[in-house]
Amino acid sequence: GGEAVKHGDLDTSLDNPSPEVDVHMGKAGFLCIDCHRTVKHQIPGRAFSVSVDNANGISCSDCHRQPHKDERLNQHVARVACVTCHIPNFARNVPTKMYWDWSKAGDSSRPEDPHHYLKIKGEFTYDNNVVPEYHWFNLTVDRYLVGDKTNPNGPTDINRPLGSRNDPKSQIWPFKVHKGKQPYDTVHDYLLPVVTAGPGGFWHEFNWNKAVDLGAKLVGLDYSGKYGFTETWMYWPLTHGVVPKEQALTCNACHGPNSRLNWQALGYGMDPMKKGGQL
């Protein structure tokens, strides 16, 4: 319910799109470039699957200068991202891949289905209408780099979001956490890249030892000759799929008896509404 900057003067070059393609999104009929406003082929926006910071990023507040009429809601924006309330679920219409197990690849005896199993890629799990995971996020991530050790006590984070309750730049954000199993060197304890195409590639010979040996040589890693599979997590902050305000989360979703937030994991002893928060 706040004021938004109108983008009616943008040249979309899609005034007469194919009737089979619906390029408009949501109640306002936005195009992608209504948010990702492009100048000289430079498209703003950051994907934290590849980026480590928010340089050239875009945000809701670029347009929504005063988002709510209720000042109590505006106070929340200091520590709660807009999308936390306005993207209550993701993959609402089309299921999304949530788990990818590479260790199951190469089995010729299994029937193939692009949503459950492929010999060249392994086993998948899809889900829809998913409740996000919530983490503090200051718009930077800790990136796993080639040669970094895996986590011996749990999954290895590929791009762990940075931030905390004590960081004034952090907000509580919703995430899709994509989980999987990838090959790693069991002696050197780091992830191994895989060559898939060409001679020795996994998709041609289905030989993990050859495929990871080739991958290690290409990036300058020492391969011990012994590999296994370890669990990895990748964090995708949610920014698309915003619902109308009538469908946004209400107070009870977080401050009720069945809160979707794990207050202890977020650094609170209990629901801050019960004893006062940081405002």
PDB file of all heavy atoms in Angstrom, residues 26-60:
ATOM      1  N   GLY A  26       2.054 -10.246 -12.754  1.00  0.00           N
ATOM      2  CA  GLY A  26       1.384  -9.686 -11.608  1.00  0.00           C
ATOM      3  C   GLY A  26       0.279  -8.706 -11.951  1.00  0.00           C
ATOM      4  O   GLY A  26      -0.049  -8.440 -13.096  1.00  0.00           O
ATOM      5  N   LYS A  27      -0.307  -8.159 -10.890  1.00  0.00           N
ATOM      6  CA  LYS A  27      -1.437  -7.248 -11.007  1.00  0.00           C
ATOM      7  C   LYS A  27      -1.106  -6.027 -11.841  1.00  0.00           C
ATOM      8  O   LYS A  27      -1.932  -5.525 -12.611  1.00  0.00           O
ATOM      9  CB  LYS A  27      -1.884  -6.841  -9.605  1.00  0.00           C
ATOM     10  CG  LYS A  27      -3.070  -5.901  -9.553  1.00  0.00           C
ATOM     11  CD  LYS A  27      -3.427  -5.589  -8.117  1.00  0.00           C
ATOM     12  CE  LYS A  27      -4.583  -4.604  -8.026  1.00  0.00           C
ATOM     13  NZ  LYS A  27      -4.912  -4.300  -6.614  1.00  0.00           N
ATOM     14  N   ALA A  28       0.123  -5.514 -11.715  1.00  0.00           N
ATOM     15  CA  ALA A  28       0.519  -4.294 -12.429  1.00  0.00           C
ATOM     16  C   ALA A  28       0.968  -4.573 -13.855  1.00  0.00           C
ATOM     17  O   ALA A  28       1.263  -3.646 -14.599  1.00  0.00           O
ATOM     18  CB  ALA A  28       1.631  -3.577 -11.660  1.00  0.00           C
ATOM     19  N   GLY A  29       1.057  -5.844 -14.258  1.00  0.00           N
ATOM     20  CA  GLY A  29       1.478  -6.175 -15.603  1.00  0.00           C
ATOM     21  C   GLY A  29       2.923  -5.817 -15.893  1.00  0.00           C
ATOM     22  O   GLY A  29       3.272  -5.444 -17.013  1.00  0.00           O
ATOM     23  N   PHE A  30       3.781  -5.926 -14.884  1.00  0.00           N
ATOM     24  CA  PHE A  30       5.182  -5.560 -15.051  1.00  0.00           C
ATOM     25  C   PHE A  30       5.893  -6.499 -16.031  1.00  0.00           C
ATOM     26  O   PHE A  30       5.579  -7.682 -16.126  1.00  0.00           O
ATOM     27  CB  PHE A  30       5.912  -5.638 -13.710  1.00  0.00           C
ATOM     28  CG  PHE A  30       5.839  -4.379 -12.891  1.00  0.00           C
ATOM     29  CD1 PHE A  30       4.913  -3.399 -13.170  1.00  0.00           C
ATOM     30  CD2 PHE A  30       6.711  -4.189 -11.829  1.00  0.00           C
ATOM     31  CE1 PHE A  30       4.844  -2.246 -12.408  1.00  0.00           C
ATOM     32  CE2 PHE A  30       6.648  -3.040 -11.066  1.00  0.00           C
ATOM     33  CZ  PHE A  30       5.714  -2.068 -11.350  1.00  0.00           C
ATOM     34  N   LEU A  31       6.880  -5.936 -16.716  1.00  0.00           N
ATOM     35  CA  LEU A  31       7.860  -6.715 -17.455  1.00  0.00           C
ATOM     36  C   LEU A  31       9.106  -6.866 -16.594  1.00  0.00           C
ATOM     37  O   LEU A  31       9.296  -6.126 -15.618  1.00  0.00           O
ATOM     38  CB  LEU A  31       8.219  -6.008 -18.756  1.00  0.00           C
ATOM     39  CG  LEU A  31       7.071  -5.774 -19.744  1.00  0.00           C
ATOM     40  CD1 LEU A  31       7.501  -4.766 -20.793  1.00  0.00           C
ATOM     41  CD2 LEU A  31       6.649  -7.069 -20.390  1.00  0.00           C
ATOM     42  N   CYS A  32       9.979  -7.792 -16.975  1.00  0.00           N
ATOM     43  CA  CYS A  32      11.232  -7.976 -16.230  1.00  0.00           C
ATOM     44  C   CYS A  32      11.979  -6.653 -16.072  1.00  0.00           C
ATOM     45  O   CYS A  32      12.497  -6.321 -14.994  1.00  0.00           O
ATOM     46  CB  CYS A  32      12.130  -8.982 -16.931  1.00  0.00           C
ATOM     47  SG  CYS A  32      11.407 -10.620 -17.126  1.00  0.00           S
ATOM     48  N   ILE A  33      12.023  -5.866 -17.161  1.00  0.00           N
ATOM     49  CA  ILE A  33      12.838  -4.648 -17.139  1.00  0.00           C
ATOM     50  C   ILE A  33      12.171  -3.500 -16.400  1.00  0.00           C
ATOM     51  O   ILE A  33      12.773  -2.436 -16.260  1.00  0.00           O
ATOM     52  CB  ILE A  33      13.207  -4.197 -18.571  1.00  0.00           C
ATOM     53  CG1 ILE A  33      11.951  -3.990 -19.414  1.00  0.00           C
ATOM     54  CG2 ILE A  33      14.157  -5.203 -19.203  1.00  0.00           C
ATOM     55  CD1 ILE A  33      12.245  -3.407 -20.788  1.00  0.00           C
ATOM     56  N   ASP A  34      10.948  -3.689 -15.895  1.00  0.00           N
ATOM     57  CA  ASP A  34      10.379  -2.667 -15.031  1.00  0.00           C
ATOM     58  C   ASP A  34      11.140  -2.600 -13.707  1.00  0.00           C
ATOM     59  O   ASP A  34      11.198  -1.543 -13.074  1.00  0.00           O
ATOM     60  CB  ASP A  34       8.898  -2.940 -14.773  1.00  0.00           C
ATOM     61  CG  ASP A  34       8.039  -2.558 -15.967  1.00  0.00           C
ATOM     62  OD1 ASP A  34       8.292  -1.498 -16.553  1.00  0.00           O
ATOM     63  OD2 ASP A  34       7.133  -3.328 -16.317  1.00  0.00           O
ATOM     64  N   CYS A  35      11.693  -3.703 -13.266  1.00  0.00           N
ATOM     65  CA  CYS A  35      12.557  -3.706 -12.081  1.00  0.00           C
ATOM     66  C   CYS A  35      14.031  -3.705 -12.485  1.00  0.00           C
ATOM     67  O   CYS A  35      14.833  -2.959 -11.920  1.00  0.00           O
ATOM     68  CB  CYS A  35      12.259  -4.913 -11.200  1.00  0.00           C
ATOM     69  SG  CYS A  35      10.621  -4.881 -10.438  1.00  0.00           S
ATOM     70  N   HIS A  36      14.372  -4.555 -13.447  1.00  0.00           N
ATOM     71  CA  HIS A  36      15.755  -4.630 -13.925  1.00  0.00           C
ATOM     72  C   HIS A  36      15.917  -3.588 -15.045  1.00  0.00           C
ATOM     73  O   HIS A  36      16.050  -3.929 -16.225  1.00  0.00           O
ATOM     74  CB  HIS A  36      16.068  -6.041 -14.438  1.00  0.00           C
ATOM     75  CG  HIS A  36      15.959  -7.099 -13.390  1.00  0.00           C
ATOM     76  ND1 HIS A  36      16.995  -7.408 -12.535  1.00  0.00           N
ATOM     77  CD2 HIS A  36      14.937  -7.913 -13.038  1.00  0.00           C
ATOM     78  CE1 HIS A  36      16.621  -8.368 -11.709  1.00  0.00           C
ATOM     79  NE2 HIS A  36      15.371  -8.696 -11.991  1.00  0.00           N
ATOM     80  N   ARG A  37      15.937  -2.316 -14.673  1.00  0.00           N
ATOM     81  CA  ARG A  37      15.934  -1.217 -15.638  1.00  0.00           C
ATOM     82  C   ARG A  37      17.288  -1.145 -16.339  1.00  0.00           C
ATOM     83  O   ARG A  37      18.311  -0.816 -15.743  1.00  0.00           O
ATOM     84  CB  ARG A  37      15.597   0.097 -14.940  1.00  0.00           C
ATOM     85  CG  ARG A  37      14.274   0.043 -14.190  1.00  0.00           C
ATOM     86  CD  ARG A  37      13.870   1.390 -13.646  1.00  0.00           C
ATOM     87  NE  ARG A  37      13.477   2.306 -14.721  1.00  0.00           N
ATOM     88  CZ  ARG A  37      13.098   3.564 -14.507  1.00  0.00           C
ATOM     89  NH1 ARG A  37      13.092   4.049 -13.282  1.00  0.00           N
ATOM     90  NH2 ARG A  37      12.746   4.325 -15.510  1.00  0.00           N
ATOM     91  N   THR A  38      17.288  -1.445 -17.609  1.00  0.00           N
ATOM     92  CA  THR A  38      18.513  -1.682 -18.366  1.00  0.00           C
ATOM     93  C   THR A  38      18.947  -0.449 -19.140  1.00  0.00           C
ATOM     94  O   THR A  38      18.134   0.202 -19.786  1.00  0.00           O
ATOM     95  CB  THR A  38      18.297  -2.858 -19.340  1.00  0.00           C
ATOM     96  OG1 THR A  38      17.904  -4.006 -18.590  1.00  0.00           O
ATOM     97  CG2 THR A  38      19.551  -3.163 -20.121  1.00  0.00           C
ATOM     98  N   VAL A  39      20.236  -0.115 -19.038  1.00  0.00           N
ATOM     99  CA  VAL A  39      20.815   1.011 -19.764  1.00  0.00           C
ATOM    100  C   VAL A  39      22.042   0.504 -20.521  1.00  0.00           C
ATOM    101  O   VAL A  39      22.962  -0.054 -19.915  1.00  0.00           O
ATOM    102  CB  VAL A  39      21.217   2.155 -18.810  1.00  0.00           C
ATOM    103  CG1 VAL A  39      21.868   3.293 -19.596  1.00  0.00           C
ATOM    104  CG2 VAL A  39      20.004   2.663 -18.034  1.00  0.00           C
ATOM    105  N   LYS A  40      22.035   0.661 -21.853  1.00  0.00           N
ATOM    106  CA  LYS A  40      23.157   0.235 -22.689  1.00  0.00           C
ATOM    107  C   LYS A  40      23.546  -1.226 -22.428  1.00  0.00           C
ATOM    108  O   LYS A  40      24.720  -1.562 -22.249  1.00  0.00           O
ATOM    109  CB  LYS A  40      24.357   1.170 -22.494  1.00  0.00           C
ATOM    110  CG  LYS A  40      24.093   2.602 -22.946  1.00  0.00           C
ATOM    111  CD  LYS A  40      25.321   3.479 -22.774  1.00  0.00           C
ATOM    112  CE  LYS A  40      25.038   4.904 -23.267  1.00  0.00           C
ATOM    113  NZ  LYS A  40      26.207   5.788 -23.110  1.00  0.00           N
ATOM    114  N   HIS A  41      22.549  -2.067 -22.365  1.00  0.00           N
ATOM    115  CA  HIS A  41      22.725  -3.511 -22.198  1.00  0.00           C
ATOM    116  C   HIS A  41      23.271  -3.903 -20.826  1.00  0.00           C
ATOM    117  O   HIS A  41      23.633  -5.064 -20.616  1.00  0.00           O
ATOM    118  CB  HIS A  41      23.630  -4.092 -23.290  1.00  0.00           C
ATOM    119  CG  HIS A  41      23.069  -3.951 -24.667  1.00  0.00           C
ATOM    120  ND1 HIS A  41      22.068  -4.755 -25.158  1.00  0.00           N
ATOM    121  CD2 HIS A  41      23.362  -3.065 -25.660  1.00  0.00           C
ATOM    122  CE1 HIS A  41      21.770  -4.384 -26.395  1.00  0.00           C
ATOM    123  NE2 HIS A  41      22.535  -3.360 -26.723  1.00  0.00           N
ATOM    124  N   GLN A  42      23.334  -2.955 -19.889  1.00  0.00           N
ATOM    125  CA  GLN A  42      23.771  -3.282 -18.534  1.00  0.00           C
ATOM    126  C   GLN A  42      22.522  -3.535 -17.688  1.00  0.00           C
ATOM    127  O   GLN A  42      21.720  -2.632 -17.461  1.00  0.00           O
ATOM    128  CB  GLN A  42      24.600  -2.136 -17.947  1.00  0.00           C
ATOM    129  CG  GLN A  42      25.874  -1.836 -18.722  1.00  0.00           C
ATOM    130  CD  GLN A  42      26.796  -3.049 -18.800  1.00  0.00           C
ATOM    131  OE1 GLN A  42      27.153  -3.643 -17.782  1.00  0.00           O
ATOM    132  NE2 GLN A  42      27.188  -3.402 -20.012  1.00  0.00           N
ATOM    133  N   ILE A  43      22.355  -4.764 -17.234  1.00  0.00           N
ATOM    134  CA  ILE A  43      21.147  -5.176 -16.531  1.00  0.00           C
ATOM    135  C   ILE A  43      21.430  -5.204 -15.029  1.00  0.00           C
ATOM    136  O   ILE A  43      22.262  -5.996 -14.570  1.00  0.00           O
ATOM    137  CB  ILE A  43      20.687  -6.565 -17.007  1.00  0.00           C
ATOM    138  CG1 ILE A  43      20.471  -6.561 -18.523  1.00  0.00           C
ATOM    139  CG2 ILE A  43      19.410  -6.975 -16.287  1.00  0.00           C
ATOM    140  CD1 ILE A  43      20.170  -7.925 -19.100  1.00  0.00           C
ATOM    141  N   PRO A  44      20.777  -4.367 -14.236  1.00  0.00           N
ATOM    142  CA  PRO A  44      21.012  -4.389 -12.783  1.00  0.00           C
ATOM    143  C   PRO A  44      20.359  -5.597 -12.135  1.00  0.00           C
ATOM    144  O   PRO A  44      19.429  -6.200 -12.672  1.00  0.00           O
ATOM    145  CB  PRO A  44      20.365  -3.082 -12.314  1.00  0.00           C
ATOM    146  CG  PRO A  44      19.275  -2.835 -13.307  1.00  0.00           C
ATOM    147  CD  PRO A  44      19.801  -3.346 -14.627  1.00  0.00           C
ATOM    148  N   GLY A  45      20.862  -5.933 -10.969  1.00  0.00           N
ATOM    149  CA  GLY A  45      20.368  -7.091 -10.234  1.00  0.00           C
ATOM    150  C   GLY A  45      21.500  -8.059  -9.951  1.00  0.00           C
ATOM    151  O   GLY A  45      22.445  -8.159 -10.733  1.00  0.00           O
ATOM    152  N   ARG A  46      21.420  -8.755  -8.812  1.00  0.00           N
ATOM    153  CA  ARG A  46      22.479  -9.680  -8.415  1.00  0.00           C
ATOM    154  C   ARG A  46      21.900 -11.052  -8.142  1.00  0.00           C
ATOM    155  O   ARG A  46      20.840 -11.181  -7.525  1.00  0.00           O
ATOM    156  CB  ARG A  46      23.194  -9.188  -7.150  1.00  0.00           C
ATOM    157  CG  ARG A  46      23.775  -7.803  -7.275  1.00  0.00           C
ATOM    158  CD  ARG A  46      24.845  -7.738  -8.330  1.00  0.00           C
ATOM    159  NE  ARG A  46      26.127  -8.214  -7.853  1.00  0.00           N
ATOM    160  CZ  ARG A  46      27.234  -8.177  -8.570  1.00  0.00           C
ATOM    161  NH1 ARG A  46      27.217  -7.681  -9.797  1.00  0.00           N
ATOM    162  NH2 ARG A  46      28.365  -8.616  -8.091  1.00  0.00           N
ATOM    163  N   ALA A  47      22.576 -12.082  -8.586  1.00  0.00           N
ATOM    164  CA  ALA A  47      22.228 -13.464  -8.274  1.00  0.00           C
ATOM    165  C   ALA A  47      23.286 -13.995  -7.314  1.00  0.00           C
ATOM    166  O   ALA A  47      24.461 -14.101  -7.681  1.00  0.00           O
ATOM    167  CB  ALA A  47      22.173 -14.312  -9.539  1.00  0.00           C
ATOM    168  N   PHE A  48      22.881 -14.307  -6.096  1.00  0.00           N
ATOM    169  CA  PHE A  48      23.863 -14.710  -5.091  1.00  0.00           C
ATOM    170  C   PHE A  48      24.321 -16.152  -5.250  1.00  0.00           C
ATOM    171  O   PHE A  48      25.103 -16.649  -4.450  1.00  0.00           O
ATOM    172  CB  PHE A  48      23.310 -14.463  -3.688  1.00  0.00           C
ATOM    173  CG  PHE A  48      23.339 -13.010  -3.309  1.00  0.00           C
ATOM    174  CD1 PHE A  48      22.226 -12.205  -3.501  1.00  0.00           C
ATOM    175  CD2 PHE A  48      24.492 -12.441  -2.808  1.00  0.00           C
ATOM    176  CE1 PHE A  48      22.252 -10.857  -3.174  1.00  0.00           C
ATOM    177  CE2 PHE A  48      24.539 -11.091  -2.477  1.00  0.00           C
ATOM    178  CZ  PHE A  48      23.415 -10.304  -2.663  1.00  0.00           C
ATOM    179  N   SER A  49      23.847 -16.813  -6.298  1.00  0.00           N
ATOM    180  CA  SER A  49      24.452 -18.097  -6.650  1.00  0.00           C
ATOM    181  C   SER A  49      25.823 -17.883  -7.272  1.00  0.00           C
ATOM    182  O   SER A  49      26.650 -18.799  -7.289  1.00  0.00           O
ATOM    183  CB  SER A  49      23.551 -18.854  -7.622  1.00  0.00           C
ATOM    184  OG  SER A  49      23.294 -18.074  -8.772  1.00  0.00           O
ATOM    185  N   VAL A  50      26.082 -16.680  -7.790  1.00  0.00           N
ATOM    186  CA  VAL A  50      27.375 -16.387  -8.411  1.00  0.00           C
ATOM    187  C   VAL A  50      28.049 -15.154  -7.811  1.00  0.00           C
ATOM    188  O   VAL A  50      29.259 -14.994  -7.930  1.00  0.00           O
ATOM    189  CB  VAL A  50      27.231 -16.194  -9.939  1.00  0.00           C
ATOM    190  CG1 VAL A  50      26.828 -17.496 -10.597  1.00  0.00           C
ATOM    191  CG2 VAL A  50      26.226 -15.099 -10.276  1.00  0.00           C
ATOM    192  N   SER A  51      27.291 -14.269  -7.184  1.00  0.00           N
ATOM    193  CA  SER A  51      27.845 -13.027  -6.637  1.00  0.00           C
ATOM    194  C   SER A  51      28.108 -13.171  -5.145  1.00  0.00           C
ATOM    195  O   SER A  51      27.507 -13.997  -4.464  1.00  0.00           O
ATOM    196  CB  SER A  51      26.872 -11.862  -6.872  1.00  0.00           C
ATOM    197  OG  SER A  51      26.596 -11.698  -8.242  1.00  0.00           O
ATOM    198  N   VAL A  52      28.991 -12.327  -4.628  1.00  0.00           N
ATOM    199  CA  VAL A  52      29.268 -12.333  -3.191  1.00  0.00           C
ATOM    200  C   VAL A  52      28.784 -11.067  -2.509  1.00  0.00           C
ATOM    201  O   VAL A  52      28.802 -10.976  -1.283  1.00  0.00           O
ATOM    202  CB  VAL A  52      30.784 -12.508  -2.911  1.00  0.00           C
ATOM    203  CG1 VAL A  52      31.264 -13.864  -3.402  1.00  0.00           C
ATOM    204  CG2 VAL A  52      31.604 -11.385  -3.538  1.00  0.00           C
ATOM    205  N   ASP A  53      28.355 -10.054  -3.271  1.00  0.00           N
ATOM    206  CA  ASP A  53      27.833  -8.833  -2.666  1.00  0.00           C
ATOM    207  C   ASP A  53      26.709  -8.289  -3.540  1.00  0.00           C
ATOM    208  O   ASP A  53      26.351  -8.876  -4.556  1.00  0.00           O
ATOM    209  CB  ASP A  53      28.937  -7.791  -2.478  1.00  0.00           C
ATOM    210  CG  ASP A  53      29.608  -7.375  -3.782  1.00  0.00           C
ATOM    211  OD1 ASP A  53      28.903  -7.246  -4.809  1.00  0.00           O
ATOM    212  OD2 ASP A  53      30.833  -7.184  -3.791  1.00  0.00           O
ATOM    213  N   ASN A  54      26.136  -7.171  -3.122  1.00  0.00           N
ATOM    214  CA  ASN A  54      24.957  -6.642  -3.788  1.00  0.00           C
ATOM    215  C   ASN A  54      25.275  -5.456  -4.699  1.00  0.00           C
ATOM    216  O   ASN A  54      24.390  -4.632  -4.971  1.00  0.00           O
ATOM    217  CB  ASN A  54      23.912  -6.228  -2.743  1.00  0.00           C
ATOM    218  CG  ASN A  54      22.534  -6.065  -3.348  1.00  0.00           C
ATOM    219  OD1 ASN A  54      22.115  -6.877  -4.157  1.00  0.00           O
ATOM    220  ND2 ASN A  54      21.838  -5.003  -2.976  1.00  0.00           N
ATOM    221  N   ALA A  55      26.501  -5.354  -5.184  1.00  0.00           N
ATOM    222  CA  ALA A  55      26.838  -4.267  -6.105  1.00  0.00           C
ATOM    223  C   ALA A  55      25.912  -4.308  -7.316  1.00  0.00           C
ATOM    224  O   ALA A  55      25.682  -5.361  -7.893  1.00  0.00           O
ATOM    225  CB  ALA A  55      28.293  -4.391  -6.549  1.00  0.00           C
ATOM    226  N   ASN A  56      25.357  -3.151  -7.677  1.00  0.00           N
ATOM    227  CA  ASN A  56      24.415  -3.032  -8.798  1.00  0.00           C
ATOM    228  C   ASN A  56      23.127  -3.812  -8.570  1.00  0.00           C
ATOM    229  O   ASN A  56      22.443  -4.195  -9.514  1.00  0.00           O
ATOM    230  CB  ASN A  56      25.058  -3.479 -10.119  1.00  0.00           C
ATOM    231  CG  ASN A  56      26.283  -2.661 -10.471  1.00  0.00           C
ATOM    232  OD1 ASN A  56      26.250  -1.437 -10.403  1.00  0.00           O
ATOM    233  ND2 ASN A  56      27.369  -3.333 -10.821  1.00  0.00           N
ATOM    234  N   GLY A  57      22.798  -4.035  -7.305  1.00  0.00           N
ATOM    235  CA  GLY A  57      21.564  -4.731  -6.984  1.00  0.00           C
ATOM    236  C   GLY A  57      20.362  -3.805  -7.057  1.00  0.00           C
ATOM    237  O   GLY A  57      20.484  -2.586  -7.236  1.00  0.00           O
ATOM    238  N   ILE A  58      19.181  -4.394  -6.957  1.00  0.00           N
ATOM    239  CA  ILE A  58      17.941  -3.628  -6.921  1.00  0.00           C
ATOM    240  C   ILE A  58      17.149  -4.074  -5.706  1.00  0.00           C
ATOM    241  O   ILE A  58      17.380  -5.162  -5.165  1.00  0.00           O
ATOM    242  CB  ILE A  58      17.113  -3.814  -8.206  1.00  0.00           C
ATOM    243  CG1 ILE A  58      16.816  -5.286  -8.457  1.00  0.00           C
ATOM    244  CG2 ILE A  58      17.825  -3.207  -9.394  1.00  0.00           C
ATOM    245  CD1 ILE A  58      15.962  -5.540  -9.673  1.00  0.00           C
ATOM    246  N   SER A  59      16.242  -3.218  -5.254  1.00  0.00           N
ATOM    247  CA  SER A  59      15.468  -3.561  -4.066  1.00  0.00           C
ATOM    248  C   SER A  59      14.069  -2.980  -4.155  1.00  0.00           C
ATOM    249  O   SER A  59      13.796  -2.075  -4.965  1.00  0.00           O
ATOM    250  CB  SER A  59      16.158  -3.037  -2.801  1.00  0.00           C
ATOM    251  OG  SER A  59      16.094  -1.617  -2.756  1.00  0.00           O
ATOM    252  N   CYS A  60      13.188  -3.469  -3.310  1.00  0.00           N
ATOM    253  CA  CYS A  60      11.804  -2.978  -3.277  1.00  0.00           C
ATOM    254  C   CYS A  60      11.758  -1.484  -3.000  1.00  0.00           C
ATOM    255  O   CYS A  60      10.930  -0.753  -3.556  1.00  0.00           O
ATOM    256  CB  CYS A  60      11.019  -3.720  -2.197  1.00  0.00           C
ATOM    257  SG  CYS A  60      11.007  -5.514  -2.369  1.00  0.00           S
TER     258      CYS A  60
END
